[in-house]
Amino acid sequence: MNSSYLRGPAGAPAKIREAFQCDASNQWSELGVDVGAANAFADAGDLRLSNSGEQSALDLSEIERAVVSLLEKGERPVSLGGDHSVTYPVVRAFASRYPDLAIIHFDAHPDLYDEFAGSRVSHACPFARIMENRLAKRLIQVGIRTLNRHQGEQAEKFGVEIIPMSALPAYERLKIRGPVYVSFDMDVLDPAFAPGISHHEPGGMSVREAIAHLHAIEGTLVGADIVEYNPERDIAGMTASVAAKILKEILGMMIADTKATRSPCPE
């Protein structure tokens, strides 16, 4: 209900799971990790959300509560959206545990509006909320190609590090230390690779470019989300397969991280 254009992303988690478990591919990541091995990760299941405008605040609070619960168990949650508004409560849960958190945000859009269409919790606003509340030490945005004046001013105000699509590849800028949270909006990809999104923005990343930039991250990946897949616009499950591929690579990175002491847990 926090989408500004089309509805549909609420149906994404089930479709991503279906594609992830499909026998059309195996569950080995490109880093050589068997993500499908026994106890490699646990599935925490779906949250019961109202998905209504009237209950939006309660839904966001429930997302935060659920993520806090996983973090208290020492897990590293990978959350499947949903529109991008879910990132704000997820990161809010991370903030007290990781005061030096750096966010690497893959997206066509900066999502830095102070408010959009009268809403301050729109999917166009999560990173404004995150940065004004100092929930992250750094915000690095990759693949941006829709920066307008207002969001440019917001980026300057909050010290956001924007890597526009035209500046890629940018592997060196992702080699940062400390805890890292990845927020992956499916529309960072060119619509040719991911047609199942609400906001088609041509000129985006290929799947190969996205994976290469994910693998360039050197900090400790403590959490992630994959958002804005809209099954209502998908073609033959193409975007579901891509989202499942991104999920597999993120899980593979987490499992391969020998610094971690617990397994990641998709929500």
Side-chain angles (χ1 to χ4, degrees), residues 102 104 174-181 214 216-222 253 257 259:
I104 298 179
L174 303 183
K175 297 176 187 266
I176 60 178
R177 298 181 180 274
V180 173
Y181 182 94
L214 278 171
I217 297 170
E218 291 188 349
T220 301
L221 191 52
V222 296
M253 291 169 66
D257 185 358
K259 299 175 183 177

Side-chain angles (χ1 to χ4, degrees), residues 13 27-29 39 51 56 85 98 113 143 168 171 185 187 226 228 244 255 257 259:
Q27 292 194 325
W28 282 76
S29 80
N39 301 317
N51 198 30
S56 180
S85 68
Y98 297 103
Y113 283 100
L168 298 185
Y171 307 126
D185 187 318
D187 65 33
I226 300 172
E228 293 291 348
I255 295 166
D257 185 358
K259 299 175 183 177

Side-chain angles (χ1 to χ4, degrees), residues 45-65:
D46 291 325
L47 297 181
R48 293 183 177 274
L49 304 176
S50 69
N51 198 30
S52 69
E54 296 77 12
Q55 300 295 320
S56 180
L58 293 176
D59 283 349
L60 297 180
S61 294
E62 174 61 11
I63 292 169
E64 181 179 3
R65 182 208 61 77

